[in-house]
Amino acid sequence: MLTLLDQLDKGTLWRSPGGIHPPEVKFLSNATPIGQLPLASTYLVPVPQVGENCTLAVKVGDSVLKGTPLTQGTSIWHLPVHAPTSGTIVAIEPRASNHASALPVNTCVIAADGKDTWCELVQNQLDDLSHQQIVDKVRSAGIAGMGGAAFPTHIKLNPVSEIDLVIINGVECEPYISADDRLMREYSQDILAGIGIIHRLLTPKRIVIAIEDNKPEAAKAMQAAVSQCGLPAGSIRVTVIPTKYPSGGEKQLIQIITGREVPSGAIPAKLGIVVHNVGTAYAIHQAVTQGKPLVERVVTVTGRNVGKPGNYWLPIGTPVDHVLTATEFTPEPDQKVIIGGPMMGHALANIQVPILKGTNCILVPSSQEIGSTPEEKACIRCGECATACPALLLPQQLFWHAKAEEYDKAASYNLKDCIECGCCSYVCPSDIPLVEYYRIAKSALKQAADEKQQAERAKQRFDARLARLEEEKLAREAKAKEASERRQASMTGTDKNAVAEAMARIAAKKAAAQAVTGESITEESSVTTTDTTEVPKGKAAVAAAIARAKAKKAAQANADGTDTNGAETDNAVTMDANDSISATDTIAQEAPLSQKDKVAAAIARAKAKKAAQQTDTAPLESTETADNTPALSTDDDKKAKVAAAVARAKAKKAAQQAETAASDIEVSNTEISVSDVNDAEAIKKAKVAAAVARAKAKKAAQQAETNAENGLNQTTTPAVDSAANVHADVNADAETAVNAAATDIEVSNADVSVNDAEAIKKAKVAAAVARAKAKKIAAASAESKTDAEIESVDEIQTEANVASPSIAATLDTATTEADAVLPSVGSTAEPIETAPLSSDELKKARIAATIAKAKAKKAALAQEANASSDSSVTND
């Protein structure tokens, strides 16, 4: 049984599946030798061309010579690019790429000086170089596969496995391209020198130069060069294969020469086979022996619309439009310019793009050669594409999944094994551009793989950063621990005592702070509420202040005992009420309250005053009633009680109305706008009710005093005291209403700035009425009581008229109503002679008058202060 090598020596060939036979048009360009074109004025060198992660070695304004490296990099996949001619770097900017998409890529723009001066070249003897030095020279020269794939050549020259067979690809199966044909004809010796370098590096058992049978001149030239080379006899041979497209594909050529099929996803090196292009072998010889980098290549310029078709040495970076101009290009309407052959090439959207290392052809066909692009029709499932596929794929399934953007499913049908030869598109009766769909799908899969790889690298960097931070943290902790141990070791006894004392002070401060915090929490928790919702901060402070005032009042009451002295008790109650109000005011000053909190504070102050006055009135009434009841007759007692009850009821009714009005104002302040008319009406009604209550109380007091003056004798003096007590009770209730009304006025001043002036006037009227009442009580013992009453009433009326005509009218109305309600009480009293008041009773009356004045002044001052603060807030 013959081995593979024996079969190679005999020239045995195998058939490859699929393939087509398009018409050949090589005669347009292969008839003339390789020529030269004039230098362009500007060259465009994309960076990088092969590989990634490179850095620029030049900057704008630098002068470069031909062969000067423009980039440098450390990646194994990176290949440097070199200046194609001498000149100056005028720009480094994005320019359109030599790709079907024409997407911009970073490009070095070189203005040629026309001299085409080479940089310093280092020539070497092959025997003086080691294998690694040869590979390094190939890499530094930037040599890539010249057949179109542009795979880094130095990687193929340094495989990890043993190589048995090297195939030199001279097939060139595209119908129009003849660059390799002319190169083999004219530079066969240089190609064989490059093959000798490959043989030295890989030491294969056989080297096969494969050429299609449509290139007989190239085959003869290569055969002649083989016979003259210094390689061992029988180790290298030229094999001519049948013309068939795409027999020049790497995997297809291996199958034709050896009969072996490269597995899906594998590379030929795993089979011990390496394939190089004849142009690559020529570039290897130039780089290793003469030190020339890859700065130019042979390019076929062909097509019916080119005046001078042929093959030309073109520097890498030469603009396509310059090449077409130099070859007398005559464009047609809708002219196509194709890079590569008609089968695997792509049309350019912009001809201001450069020649690259993998560019082997510029095709400018006429409309007779390649017609307009036909309209794509529906697939009829004829199966011709599957028959023509040289990679034995299923183009229909690949097309359906690619069109539906189901790229993963397309990949499951071995999309990556597609060589994009275009056989399927060529034979498709529906004119479906199948290869275009496959290219889009491949690009999408490549982008997804790149994103996944970037995410993985980012995750690795993140994990490495976390590990580094953890190491740094542990290092800092260890360093701090060592420093602490060193400090402790170097401490003396005094230092240790100082540290201990400092620690003790810190612990003591911390314990004291915790104790204060616990005490404040306990004090605050003592003020409870039945509401389960959270109490606002302002309301809680007000409630706490009221609770403290009440506690203080209770403590003072327990300390003082049940004192029957009216003045002393009144002073105590007044002080308690003042303390409560002062506490509330203090909290309001310390912590700025919201509008609702101000209303709540005002109501709390009014209720505190009312509670203090009720406490003051109740003991006096009960004590004096108990003392005076035995001294009065049954009728007098009954009449006095009736009068007192009527007065108290009306005063309480007025106070309740005032409190109800205050509650209404609080609700309205919370839910209604501050400029609402109903708030002013509620305030006005509350003030009128307070004025009526005061008028009625005054009327009752006057009637009681008149009755006492006309009908009571010396033995019934306690009845006068009872009437005075009734008067005091009524006065207290009326005063409560006044205070509630004043509170309402204060609340309205805080919320309704429009009624500030009127509220202040009404507060002054209320204060004047209170002062008049005090004077009336003080003058009760005087003989000229009637004149004093008239004078007091006139004074009240005058102050009311000055302050506000509407309030004066209200007081007149209230007086009339009081006269209509209470005449029966006074008419039933029998005339009794009045005895003059004793010194103690006169003293009590003066004390009561003083207290009333003090309360009136305090109410007026508070009212004015609130009015001024509200006006300042409004101005702000």
Side-chain angles (χ1 to χ4, degrees):
M1 183 178 179
L2 296 176
T3 62
L4 175 61
L5 297 179
D6 295 336
Q7 292 176 346
L8 290 176
D9 293 338
K10 290 182 61 176
T12 306
L13 299 177
W14 284 263
R15 292 178 56 87
S16 64
I20 56 175
H21 294 275
E24 295 183 4
V25 198
K26 293 180 181 290
F27 62 88
L28 289 176
S29 58
N30 66 358
T32 57
I34 302 173
Q36 293 277 354
L37 292 178
L39 290 174
S41 61
T42 303
Y43 287 84
L44 308 174
V45 184
V47 289
Q49 288 189 30
V50 180
E52 298 177 353
N53 302 326
C54 72
T55 57
L56 284 168
V58 294
K59 62 181 182 297
V60 176
D62 288 353
S63 296
V64 294
L65 298 176
K66 185 177 182 178
T68 302
L70 301 179
T71 62
Q72 56 188 7
T74 57
S75 173
I76 190 175
W77 295 96
H78 169 71
L79 287 181
V81 292
H82 303 77
T85 188
S86 59
T88 304
I89 305 292
V90 296
I92 300 175
E93 59 188 11
R95 293 289 185 96
S97 63
N98 186 345
H99 189 267
S101 65
L103 291 174
V105 295
N106 203 28
T107 304
C108 285
V109 182
I110 301 175
D113 57 9
K115 299 179 181 180
D116 201 31
T117 305
W118 273 96
C119 64
E120 183 180 357
L121 301 178
V122 179
Q123 298 183 359
N124 299 285
Q125 294 295 325
L126 185 61
D127 296 336
D128 298 336
L129 299 174
S130 64
H131 286 194
Q132 188 59 44
Q133 289 175 335
I134 294 174
V135 173
D136 292 341
K137 281 186 169 294
V138 170
R139 179 185 177 184
S140 62
I143 300 175
M146 307 291 284
F151 189 84
T153 301
H154 67 278
I155 295 178
K156 283 187 175 183
L157 294 177
N158 191 23
V160 295
S161 58
E162 184 178 355
I163 301 301
D164 297 329
L165 175 65
V166 173
I167 299 176
I168 305 300
N169 187 352
V171 176
E172 198 173 39
C173 57
E174 276 276 0
Y176 277 83
I177 304 176
S178 60
D180 291 345
D181 183 10
R182 293 305 312 184
L183 187 66
M184 287 186 291
R185 292 189 196 182
E186 300 178 29
Y187 296 94
S188 59
Q189 295 295 334
D190 293 331
I191 294 173
L192 259 297
I195 293 174
I197 296 173
I198 295 172
H199 183 273
R200 177 180 174 179
L201 293 175
L202 300 178
T203 61
K205 296 178 180 179
R206 295 287 187 276
I207 296 177
V208 176
I209 303 173
I211 305 174
E212 274 189 327
D213 56 9
N214 61 354
K215 305 177 184 61
E217 294 84 358
K220 290 180 181 179
M222 293 301 295
Q223 186 66 47
V226 166
S227 61
Q228 297 176 5
C229 71
L231 295 176
S235 62
I236 183 172
R237 65 186 307 273
V238 177
T239 300
V240 178
I241 64 175
T243 300
K244 185 181 181 182
Y245 180 82
S247 58
E250 184 179 58
K251 293 183 178 180
Q252 285 69 36
L253 184 58
I254 291 173
Q255 193 169 7
I256 292 172
I257 298 297
T258 65
R260 295 183 180 182
E261 182 178 354
V262 179
S264 175
I267 59 176
K270 290 188 176 181
L271 299 178
I273 301 173
V274 170
V275 179
H276 286 286
N277 184 265
V278 291
T280 305
Y282 175 82
I284 291 172
H285 165 68
Q286 293 286 312
V288 174
T289 59
Q290 300 183 20
K292 291 183 178 181
L294 181 60
V295 295
E296 58 182 359
R297 65 157 298 149
V298 180
V299 178
T300 300
V301 182
T302 185
R304 297 289 184 181
N305 289 339
V306 175
K308 296 180 179 179
N311 294 280
Y312 299 93
W313 285 104
L314 296 181
I316 306 299
T318 305
V320 173
D321 63 338
H322 170 74
V323 177
L324 296 178
T325 302
T327 55
E328 301 177 0
F329 167 55
T330 56
E332 293 180 355
D334 300 329
Q335 177 67 59
K336 288 184 178 180
V337 177
I338 300 173
I339 295 296
M343 301 301 297
M344 300 184 67
H346 60 270
L348 292 177
N350 184 0
I351 61 174
Q352 297 288 338
V353 297
I355 299 296
L356 303 179
K357 294 179 179 181
T359 304
N360 55 5
C361 178
I362 300 176
L363 174 61
V364 190
S366 65
S367 57
Q368 288 78 19
E369 293 177 278
I370 299 178
S372 61
T373 303
E375 182 181 358
E376 178 181 345
K377 295 177 283 293
C379 176
I380 61 175
R381 303 188 181 185
C382 61
E384 291 294 330
C385 55
T387 302
C389 180
L392 298 177
L393 301 177
L394 298 175
Q396 287 182 5
Q397 280 75 8
L398 295 175
F399 162 67
W400 292 332
H401 293 309
K403 188 174 183 179
E405 298 183 0
E406 298 172 348
Y407 302 128
D408 293 339
K409 292 184 179 179
S412 65
Y413 283 92
N414 298 326
L415 175 64
K416 59 185 177 182
D417 290 337
C418 175
I419 62 174
E420 303 177 17
C421 63
C423 291
C424 53
S425 299
Y426 184 82
V427 300
C428 180
S430 297
D431 298 321
I432 301 174
L434 297 172
V435 176
E436 300 300 325
Y437 284 104
Y438 304 156
R439 286 173 177 169
I440 293 173
K442 283 184 175 181
S443 299
L445 290 172
K446 183 177 183 300
Q447 182 179 1
D450 291 342
E451 291 176 354
K452 183 178 179 181
Q453 188 177 7
Q454 290 177 2
E456 183 64 25
R457 286 199 296 264
K459 183 178 181 300
Q460 292 175 359
R461 290 196 303 269
F462 180 74
D463 293 340
R465 179 178 179 273
L466 291 181
R468 176 175 55 81
L469 293 177
E470 185 65 22
E471 291 177 359
E472 291 177 355
K473 179 182 176 182
L474 295 176
R476 287 195 302 270
E477 292 177 354
K479 186 177 180 180
K481 185 176 180 181
E482 293 177 359
S484 177
E485 292 176 352
R486 287 196 300 269
R487 286 194 301 269
Q488 290 179 1
S490 63
M491 275 186 180
T492 62
T494 305
D495 295 336
K496 293 181 179 179
N497 293 335
V499 171
E501 291 175 358
M503 294 297 291
R505 286 196 299 272
I506 293 172
K509 288 182 179 180
K510 185 175 180 181
Q514 290 178 351
V516 171
T517 304
E519 182 179 355
S520 62
I521 292 173
T522 305
E523 183 177 354
E524 290 178 2
S525 63
S526 63
V527 182
T528 58
T529 177
T530 57
D531 192 0
T532 57
T533 60
E534 184 178 358
V535 181
K537 185 175 181 181
K539 291 184 179 181
V542 172
I546 293 173
R548 288 195 296 272
K550 288 182 178 180
K552 183 177 179 182
K553 178 180 176 182
Q556 290 178 352
N558 293 332
D560 295 341
T562 57
D563 192 358
T564 58
N565 191 329
E568 190 172 351
T569 305
D570 196 4
N571 288 331
V573 173
T574 304
M575 291 173 63
D576 293 338
N578 292 339
D579 291 339
S580 177
I581 295 168
S582 299
T584 308
D585 293 339
T586 302
I587 293 172
Q589 292 173 1
E590 290 177 355
L593 302 178
S594 63
Q595 209 65 4
K596 291 183 180 181
D597 295 337
K598 289 180 180 179
V599 174
I603 293 173
R605 288 196 294 271
K607 289 183 177 180
K609 289 181 180 180
K610 182 177 178 181
Q613 290 167 355
Q614 287 178 353
T615 307
D616 179 27
T617 304
L620 291 175
E621 180 182 356
S622 61
T623 304
E624 293 180 5
T625 303
D627 292 339
N628 296 334
T629 301
L632 292 176
S633 62
T634 304
D635 294 336
D636 295 338
D637 187 15
K638 186 180 294 184
K639 292 177 182 179
K641 288 182 178 180
V642 169
V646 171
R648 282 197 302 273
K650 291 184 177 181
K652 288 182 180 179
K653 183 176 181 181
Q656 290 175 355
Q657 289 176 352
E659 185 175 357
T660 304
S663 300
D664 295 339
I665 292 169
E666 178 184 6
V667 175
S668 67
N669 285 333
T670 306
E671 300 177 353
I672 308 175
S673 174
V674 296
S675 61
D676 196 348
V677 180
N678 292 332
D679 292 343
E681 291 293 333
I683 296 169
K684 187 179 291 184
K685 289 180 180 180
K687 294 170 184 176
V688 170
V692 172
R694 288 195 295 273
K696 290 181 179 181
K698 187 174 74 171
K699 186 71 175 179
Q702 290 175 354
Q703 187 68 34
E705 290 174 358
T706 304
N707 292 338
E709 182 181 359
N710 294 331
L712 293 177
N713 56 15
Q714 183 69 24
T715 59
T716 59
T717 301
V720 178
D721 295 337
S722 177
N725 291 335
V726 172
H727 176 74
D729 190 9
V730 173
N731 189 22
D733 293 337
E735 186 67 17
T736 302
V738 171
N739 292 332
T743 302
D744 297 337
I745 294 170
E746 179 181 346
V747 174
S748 72
N749 284 334
D751 296 336
V752 185
S753 61
V754 179
N755 296 327
D756 287 344
E758 185 179 354
I760 295 171
K761 289 180 181 179
K762 292 180 180 181
K764 290 180 179 179
V765 171
V769 173
R771 288 197 297 273
K773 288 181 181 180
K775 289 181 180 180
K776 185 68 178 179
I777 296 171
S781 62
E783 294 179 353
S784 56
K785 193 182 302 121
T786 305
D787 295 336
E789 290 174 2
I790 295 170
E791 183 180 357
S792 299
V793 173
D794 292 340
E795 182 181 354
I796 296 169
Q797 188 67 33
T798 301
E799 293 185 19
N801 290 332
V802 172
S804 176
S806 61
I807 298 299
T810 303
L811 291 175
D812 292 338
T813 304
T815 306
T816 304
E817 290 179 358
D819 292 338
V821 173
L822 298 174
S824 59
V825 178
S827 63
T828 57
E830 296 180 0
I832 305 173
E833 285 188 5
T834 309
L837 295 174
S838 63
S839 60
D840 293 336
E841 292 171 346
L842 183 59
K843 185 177 181 181
K844 289 182 179 181
R846 289 177 179 172
I847 291 173
T850 303
I851 293 172
K853 289 180 190 177
K855 291 182 178 180
K857 287 182 179 180
K858 183 173 182 180
L861 291 174
Q863 193 67 25
E864 292 176 0
N866 290 331
S868 62
S869 62
D870 292 338
S871 63
S872 65
V873 171
T874 307
N875 293 331
D876 293 339

